[in-house]
Amino acid sequence: MESTTSTLLEQGITPSDLLKHWQGHRGLTRRVIEAFPEEAFFNYSIGGMRPFAEMVMELLGIAGPGIKEIATGKIQELIEQVDHGNKKVKILELWDEATNEINTYWEQIKPEQFQQNIKIFGQYEGTVWSSIFYFIDNEIHHRGQGYVYLRALGIEPPYFYER
Amino acid sequence: MESTTSTLLEQGITPSDLLKHWQGHRGLTRRVIEAFPEEAFFNYSIGGMRPFAEMVMELLGIAGPGIKEIATGKIQELIEQVDHGNKKVKILELWDEATNEINTYWEQIKPEQFQQNIKIFGQYEGTVWSSIFYFIDNEIHHRGQGYVYLRALGIEPPYFYER
């Protein structure tokens, strides 16, 4: 058996598997954003929760900057607001920029970093992999809430299993 | 540098990391079930979606049997209904049984299996790890929907980040 790191990592979940997994989720979240009527995206809510646009801004604040911090070691500020002018197209543009930013910085993360400790955004302690899992899980969590908003608006959301 | 499989896997995400991660999520889902009033758990819905009890039965149908199939190689039937008699306590009992079943069968999965192909429940093609990720992601997705139901019912859900 070869014993290089990459060969053995390939028996489990490789960093590139995880990136592909996340970008698959992010593609689905993008289609959920697209499914919202513009007005509802920025204003509709249930039970005093945030409109979906607010949740998406949180996701945008986490994803690109989070991976940049992991790759570069430079603490990033968690910014959950952007100047969107109530335009979905602006949010989608930022979403696509984040997609590229994630891909770019992901390549700079070394396999041995995944188990290292990090205080992401200078605040949240965990390992690199647990931080990335948090980013993904948090996106799935809020997107699931977006599905309820869409259903309550009478709109069929995209299939969960299509990535 | 040591080059055994386990040493190198520990640089990434180990099977035991992934189990702990999932069981952390499952503990949170259990608290979400507990937070529901019994009647609403079985009957409340938004936008024509399923009551949370129906989603939880889906999760129960997947988790234990899915890991059993991965560990034993024996195809399991996907059963998304249980005889709960509209009692949350019955669902919680099944939830705890599934927790043990997952722990028991997880130990029997060999590290090298994670990258292998599988047709889970005889139907869904993927690798072992992508199937397990699907189980976890699907749980987060539906639990996020449960959060909206709770908020709409005027109930504060447990903190997402507490596992």
Side-chain angles (χ1 to χ4, degrees):
Chain A
M1 193 202 288
E2 277 192 73
S3 60
T4 59
T5 301
S6 65
T7 305
L8 288 164
L9 273 173
E10 277 163 15
Q11 295 182 356
I13 305 146
T14 67
S16 73
D17 286 336
L18 190 57
L19 174 62
K20 196 175 162 196
H21 177 74
W22 187 14
Q23 294 288 25
H25 272 301
R26 294 187 73 261
L28 176 58
T29 305
R30 193 187 196 284
R31 294 199 299 281
V32 172
I33 297 168
E34 288 179 304
F36 269 85
E38 191 143 48
E39 203 277 334
F41 179 69
F42 290 103
N43 297 299
Y44 184 77
S45 89
I46 293 176
M49 296 177 74
R50 293 174 292 174
F52 195 55
E54 298 278 331
M55 301 183 193
V56 170
M57 282 192 286
E58 175 189 310
L59 303 179
L60 285 170
I62 290 172
I67 297 304
K68 185 177 179 182
E69 176 169 336
I70 290 167
T72 64
K74 287 182 199 138
I75 290 175
Q76 302 295 304
E77 196 186 344
L78 182 57
I79 300 167
E80 301 185 50
Q81 293 296 326
V82 292
D83 188 14
H84 52 60
N86 290 313
K87 295 288 175 203
K88 251 180 26 171
V89 67
K90 177 65 185 168
I91 297 283
L92 290 169
E93 192 184 295
L94 293 168
W95 195 263
D96 295 337
E97 283 174 21
T99 302
N100 294 332
E101 192 176 13
I102 293 165
N103 287 340
T104 300
Y105 285 109
W106 191 279
E107 279 190 25
Q108 302 172 23
I109 306 172
K110 296 177 190 71
E112 60 267 27
Q113 275 185 265
F114 280 83
Q115 200 64 12
Q116 289 172 5
N117 292 316
I118 192 168
K119 201 188 238 185
I120 198 82
F121 299 110
Q123 296 179 65
Y124 308 105
E125 293 190 27
T127 58
V128 165
W129 76 258
S130 75
S131 302
I132 295 170
F133 272 37
Y134 191 89
F135 302 168
I136 300 172
D137 295 349
N138 185 57
E139 176 170 340
I140 299 167
H141 174 70
H142 288 308
R143 188 183 58 213
Q145 299 174 337
Y147 271 62
V148 185
Y149 287 13
L150 285 175
R151 286 284 183 193
L153 290 163
I155 296 163
E156 178 152 344
Y159 291 121
F160 175 69
Y161 50 81
E162 277 185 7
R163 304 289 157 80
Chain B
M1 192 202 289
E2 278 193 73
S3 60
T4 61
T5 301
S6 65
T7 305
L8 288 166
L9 272 174
E10 278 162 16
Q11 294 183 355
I13 304 147
T14 67
S16 73
D17 286 336
L18 190 58
L19 175 61
K20 196 175 163 197
H21 177 75
W22 188 16
Q23 293 290 23
H25 271 301
R26 293 187 73 261
L28 175 59
T29 305
R30 194 186 195 284
R31 295 198 299 283
V32 172
I33 297 169
E34 288 180 303
F36 268 85
E38 191 143 48
E39 203 277 333
F41 179 68
F42 291 102
N43 297 300
Y44 184 76
S45 88
I46 293 176
M49 295 177 73
R50 292 174 294 173
F52 194 55
E54 298 279 331
M55 300 183 194
V56 169
M57 283 192 285
E58 175 189 311
L59 302 179
L60 284 169
I62 290 172
I67 297 303
K68 185 176 179 183
E69 176 168 333
I70 290 167
T72 64
K74 286 180 200 140
I75 290 174
Q76 303 294 303
E77 197 185 344
L78 182 58
I79 300 168
E80 302 186 47
Q81 292 296 325
V82 293
D83 189 14
H84 52 62
N86 289 314
K87 295 288 176 203
K88 247 177 34 169
V89 68
K90 177 64 185 169
I91 298 283
L92 290 169
E93 195 183 296
L94 293 168
W95 195 264
D96 295 337
E97 284 173 21
T99 302
N100 294 332
E101 192 176 13
I102 292 165
N103 287 339
T104 300
Y105 284 110
W106 192 279
E107 279 189 26
Q108 301 173 25
I109 305 172
K110 297 178 191 71
E112 61 268 27
Q113 275 185 265
F114 281 82
Q115 200 65 11
Q116 289 170 5
N117 292 318
I118 192 168
K119 202 189 237 184
I120 199 80
F121 299 110
Q123 296 178 66
Y124 308 105
E125 294 191 26
T127 59
V128 165
W129 77 258
S130 76
S131 302
I132 295 170
F133 271 38
Y134 190 89
F135 302 169
I136 301 172
D137 295 348
N138 185 55
E139 177 171 339
I140 299 168
H141 174 70
H142 287 308
R143 188 183 58 212
Q145 299 173 337
Y147 271 62
V148 185
Y149 287 13
L150 285 175
R151 287 283 183 193
L153 290 162
I155 296 163
E156 179 152 343
Y159 291 120
F160 175 69
Y161 51 80
E162 278 184 7
R163 303 289 157 81

